[in-house]
Amino acid sequence: MLHTSAPLQGDPTTSSTMFGGHVMSTWSKSPWASYPTMQLSNVELRQMGQAFQMGRYPVHFHMMGDTSFTSWVANCSIHHTWNRGVTIHGTHQVHVRHTTAFVTTGHTFFLEDGVEYGNIFEGNCGFLTQVSNGMLITDNNPATFWMTNPNNTLIGNHAGGSLEGFGFWYHLDDNPGGASKTYSICPKYETMGVFKNNLAHSNQFYGLRIHPEYYQQSCPCCGQWNLTPARFEGLIGYKNGVNCVVATQTGCCQHKFADQHGKYHEGRG
């Protein structure tokens, strides 16, 4: 599952320096530049990423715009990393599928600014997500899947053993920040994509966390209070330290999940 015939790795000093390689695709926006794509299949990335360095992640889709699913990470393994796993930043419609992350540092499958939409995370596994003390404050309690915009798809993913943290965390701000700062997108009110048939177990706190707020609106940035249902469906959670699901402030969320005894729970809030 972790080892392939096509490895990328840091040099022999990486274990002591926490300074590994990184793979990044970006768009120069030069009139002579072709539109970028990045396609990684059956690649092993080990001892990659550079600790505490913004933008130096094992796999990084950086400000590429809409790739229309011409870019992907498929059947890869990412393990013993120093700074996240797969980062999607200012990039849309990337397909991340059947990829395993093991012993990673900080939020692992990571949407950066909150502007990212239409990406698909399907059939991925993340295990033993570790604390990072030098990135975001929230990396002190890392999530294996960190979603800053709800308009993305998560189907059939497995998040287990996040140390001091969570399996899935929807952290939705009023507006995107960082290099994608804009007031025309409102993640806290955006339309939900798909969250279906995911598994979260053995995380320190919660399997799924929705925090600080989420209120899906029919017109996200219009300033009108017109809630529509957001669905979190088919989550299986067990042996999480506090509970399977926690939602701090939400409006009209529908959930259906199974606990460690195989009993299904349904509700809305």
Side-chain angles (χ1 to χ4, degrees):
M1 181 178 290
L2 293 180
H3 300 294
T4 74
S5 59
L8 295 174
Q9 66 179 57
D11 67 24
T13 68
T14 299
S15 295
S16 58
T17 63
M18 296 189 292
F19 191 90
H22 67 103
V23 179
M24 180 171 68
S25 178
T26 190
W27 184 27
S28 70
K29 298 185 179 180
S30 163
W32 299 279
S34 60
Y35 203 85
T37 62
M38 180 160 66
Q39 301 170 352
L40 295 177
S41 299
N42 304 297
V43 177
E44 175 188 355
L45 299 103
R46 59 187 181 227
Q47 295 187 333
M48 297 284 281
Q50 298 169 8
F52 319 131
Q53 300 297 314
M54 192 72 71
R56 296 298 180 257
Y57 315 118
V59 178
H60 187 189
F61 297 89
H62 180 71
M63 307 301 288
M64 293 169 62
D66 190 341
T67 75
S68 300
F69 299 115
T70 60
S71 292
W72 61 74
V73 180
N75 305 304
C76 292
S77 69
I78 304 168
H79 61 95
H80 298 89
T81 72
W82 312 117
N83 195 1
R84 312 205 187 288
V86 177
T87 293
I88 299 177
H89 183 197
T91 304
H92 322 296
Q93 298 198 101
V94 172
H95 198 174
V96 181
R97 61 187 184 271
H98 306 305
T99 290
T100 298
F102 178 69
V103 189
T104 53
T105 304
H107 304 308
T108 297
F109 295 94
F110 180 74
L111 299 183
E112 188 155 341
D113 285 343
V115 72
E116 300 84 9
Y117 68 84
N119 299 290
I120 299 176
F121 297 87
E122 182 180 11
N124 304 291
C125 300
F127 304 102
L128 295 182
T129 301
Q130 302 182 114
V131 170
S132 173
N133 294 315
M135 296 298 287
L136 301 177
I137 293 175
T138 55
D139 282 303
N140 292 321
N141 301 111
T144 302
F145 291 83
W146 168 265
M147 299 291 110
T148 53
N149 189 312
N151 190 11
N152 292 276
T153 294
L154 285 81
I155 298 176
N157 299 289
H158 187 158
S162 178
L163 307 178
E164 305 297 329
F166 313 92
F168 302 86
W169 186 348
Y170 281 74
H171 187 285
L172 310 174
D173 291 328
D174 289 342
N175 302 107
S180 306
K181 186 177 180 65
T182 178
Y183 295 102
S184 64
I185 297 174
C186 304
K188 187 167 71 176
Y189 305 108
E190 287 290 338
T191 300
M192 183 74 187
V194 176
F195 184 96
K196 188 173 183 179
N197 297 340
N198 297 293
L199 172 65
H201 72 85
S202 308
N203 299 291
Q204 180 70 23
F205 297 116
Y206 298 96
L208 167 63
R209 189 186 198 196
I210 306 167
H211 175 82
E213 298 176 286
Y214 182 35
Y215 306 97
Q216 178 173 283
Q217 306 274 356
S218 58
C219 184
C221 295
C222 294
Q224 302 173 355
W225 200 249
N226 185 12
L227 296 178
T228 58
R231 294 179 59 85
F232 294 81
E233 184 176 358
L235 175 67
I236 296 176
Y238 60 91
K239 292 187 177 180
N240 296 293
V242 179
N243 216 326
C244 179
V245 178
V246 63
T248 307
Q249 296 185 58
T250 60
C252 207
C253 282
Q254 299 176 345
H255 61 265
K256 181 179 181 181
F257 65 91
D259 62 20
Q260 58 264 42
H261 305 295
K263 182 179 179 181
Y264 270 90
H265 303 263
E266 296 188 59
R268 62 167 59 209

